[in-house]
């Protein structure tokens, strides 16, 4: 198991009591925050990157798009990857890969290298957020899940607000490459803490799936990759006036249909869609989608009114609301029902 801290113990269900559980929570949250901050920290440096690497506006946009596509493709696969390799092993691997990819981003001498490094960074970072939450669910007993997720949520949701502020400071003071180099010390600390504090992986016979769902993974990559590219590039290409965007939409719909059909057909899918038969989980998924769309609407509508303060206000607002929601859900048992 994890390194024991004085005053910590494990109960009969494997949950941790004492200071160790908070050390694990901080470790998991640190990895997740690194990933979340990097989704927004680059935005303030795009002009400097464009000038430094001699790229056009549309070309430099792929620094953001590549990361986003890689991120959203890997997130649904993170549960299967965690079971296949072990949660601790996969989390540490993701942290190491994310840190090394950050080094490559900072050393990039042309735009293709930077975009490629950002894709690697997105692939490695995609598992950090989901695995961090899974680690918290395994660490804290059901009665404390609301508190744990509230603390975790405050840090993670604050990330998009911290990113542009930190990015602007680094770009002005040290240059755009330091928005990537700043991940190195925090990544090293997160890896060291993960090795020391995270619980040992269970035996592979208990968690590891023997079969690899290559078709399911392929359909997922086509569906999510095409959809994310469509959303990122659609406005610049005038949406469906572009044959490229139309092709992406058709490929995404076909890929999504094949993905759902195939994952419900096989016994060991890469993404187990059957879990949505549980009403609490299905309701939580719908609620997350509604909250996400509401947050997007809030930011877009307030931008014209509050200008540059809108995004910061929106993130701070969502941080407080999310912490409150987790507390309410825990009080009335919704989180315990899901677990």
């Amino acid at each position: 198991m994890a390194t024991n801290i004085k005053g910590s113990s494990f109960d009969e269900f494997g949950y941790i009591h004492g200071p160790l559980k908070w050390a694990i929570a901080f470790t998991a949250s640190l990895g997740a925050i690194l990933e979340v901050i990097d989704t927004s920290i680059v935005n303030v440096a795009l002009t400097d990157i464009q000038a430094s690497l001699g790229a056009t506006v549309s070309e430099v946009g792929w620094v953001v798009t590549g990361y986003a596509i890689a991120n959203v493709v890997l997130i649904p696969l993170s549960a299967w990857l965690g079971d296949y390799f072990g949660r601790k092993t996969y989390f540490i691997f993701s942290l190491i890969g994310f840190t090394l990819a950050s080094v490559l981003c900072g050393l990039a001498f042309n735009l293709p290298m930077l975009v490629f490094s950002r894709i690697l960074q997105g692939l490695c970072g995609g598992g950090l957020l989901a695995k961090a939450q899974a680690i918290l669910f395994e660490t804290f007993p059901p009665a404390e899940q609301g508190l744990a997720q509230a603390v975790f949520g405050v840090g993670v949701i604050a990330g998009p607000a911290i990113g542009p502020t930190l990015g602007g400071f680094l770009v002005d003071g040290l240059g755009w490459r330091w928005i990537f180099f700043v991940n190195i010390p925090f990544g090293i600390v997160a890896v060291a803490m993960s090795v020391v504090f995270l619980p040992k992986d269970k035996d592979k016979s208990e968690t590891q799936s023997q079969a690899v769902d290559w078709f399911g993974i392929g359909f997922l990559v086509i569906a999510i990759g095409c959809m994310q590219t469509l959303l990122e590039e659609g406005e610049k290409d005038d949406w469906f006036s572009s044959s490229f965007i139309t092709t992406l939409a058709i490929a995404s719909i076909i890929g999504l249909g094949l993905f759902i059909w195939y994952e419900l057909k096989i016994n060991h899918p890469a993404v187990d869609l059957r879990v949505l038969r549980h009403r609490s989980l299905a309701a939580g998924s719908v609620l997350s989608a509604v909250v996400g769309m509401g947050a997007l609407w809030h930011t877009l509508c307030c931008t014209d009114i509050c200008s540059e303060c809108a995004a910061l206000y929106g993130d701070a607002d969502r941080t407080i609301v999310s912490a409150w929601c987790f507390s309410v859900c825990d009080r009335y048992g919704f989180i315990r029902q899901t677990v």
Side-chain angles (χ1 to χ4, degrees):
M1 301 295 287
T3 297
N4 202 0
I5 296 178
K6 186 176 180 180
S8 301
S9 61
F10 296 85
D11 63 21
E12 58 181 323
F13 301 105
Y15 296 116
I16 301 174
H17 299 272
L20 178 58
K21 67 183 178 183
W22 292 111
I24 294 174
F26 181 77
T27 302
S29 298
L30 179 58
I33 290 172
L34 282 175
E35 190 274 332
V36 172
I37 288 178
D38 259 60
T39 61
S40 60
I41 195 172
V42 176
N43 296 336
V44 297
L46 290 179
T47 303
D48 295 77
I49 295 173
Q50 179 186 351
S52 175
L53 301 181
T56 65
V57 174
S58 60
E59 289 173 342
V60 79
W62 281 98
V63 175
V64 177
T65 301
Y67 182 89
I69 292 172
N71 217 254
V72 299
V73 165
L74 200 76
I75 286 175
L77 295 173
S78 59
W80 173 76
L81 290 170
D83 288 341
Y84 192 87
F85 296 105
R87 282 193 174 92
K88 179 176 182 176
T89 301
Y90 177 57
F91 191 77
I92 293 175
F93 173 82
S94 296
L95 279 171
I96 294 174
F98 184 85
T99 305
L100 293 177
S102 298
V103 174
L104 291 177
C105 288
L107 296 176
F109 52 82
N110 57 31
L111 187 64
M113 179 179 176
L114 179 57
V115 173
F116 175 76
S117 301
R118 283 285 286 173
I119 292 173
L120 289 179
Q121 195 180 39
L123 289 173
C124 294
L128 293 177
L129 186 61
K131 285 297 98 183
Q133 288 187 294
I135 289 170
L136 290 181
F137 274 118
E138 286 191 339
T139 301
F140 287 80
E144 298 178 356
Q145 288 293 339
L147 176 61
Q149 294 299 327
V151 173
F152 174 81
V154 167
V156 169
I157 297 177
I162 297 172
T165 306
L166 177 62
F169 174 79
L170 292 172
V171 171
D172 289 341
L174 299 171
W176 67 266
R177 297 182 186 275
W178 281 91
I179 64 175
F180 302 112
F181 289 148
V182 73
N183 291 329
I184 298 174
F186 294 103
I188 293 173
V189 170
V191 170
M193 293 181 66
S194 298
V195 172
V196 173
F197 295 125
L198 294 188
K200 182 180 178 182
D201 291 329
K202 298 178 182 179
D203 294 336
K204 291 186 177 181
S205 59
E206 298 179 24
T207 61
Q208 185 175 9
S209 300
Q210 298 300 318
V212 178
D213 179 18
W214 293 112
F215 283 105
I217 294 173
F219 292 144
L220 177 67
V221 170
I222 293 172
I224 302 298
C226 290
M227 178 59 70
Q228 185 67 27
T229 307
L230 183 154
L231 296 174
E232 294 279 351
E233 301 297 316
E235 184 177 2
K236 290 185 290 186
D237 292 345
D238 197 21
W239 297 107
F240 294 103
S241 298
S242 167
S243 59
F244 174 63
I245 296 299
T246 303
T247 302
L248 287 176
I250 295 172
S252 178
I253 294 172
I254 294 174
L256 182 61
L258 290 173
F259 170 73
I260 295 174
W261 167 75
Y262 191 78
E263 295 303 276
L264 293 175
K265 174 185 175 183
I266 64 174
N267 294 326
H268 300 288
V271 181
D272 189 3
L273 300 177
R274 298 181 182 90
V275 297
L276 293 175
R277 69 180 183 274
H278 300 292
R279 288 183 297 175
S280 56
L281 181 58
S285 299
V286 173
L287 179 61
S288 297
V290 172
V291 170
M293 290 186 288
L296 177 62
W297 176 87
H298 177 277
T299 301
L300 291 176
C301 290
C302 288
T303 299
D304 294 333
I305 301 173
C306 301
S307 187
E308 296 179 358
C309 295
L312 180 61
Y313 173 79
D315 287 323
D317 192 22
R318 291 195 298 275
T319 300
I320 297 171
V321 171
S322 295
W324 175 79
C325 286
F326 275 121
S327 300
V328 172
C329 288
D330 179 54
R331 179 177 180 181
Y332 291 100
F334 293 128
I335 292 179
R336 290 191 290 273
Q337 291 175 15
T338 303
V339 176

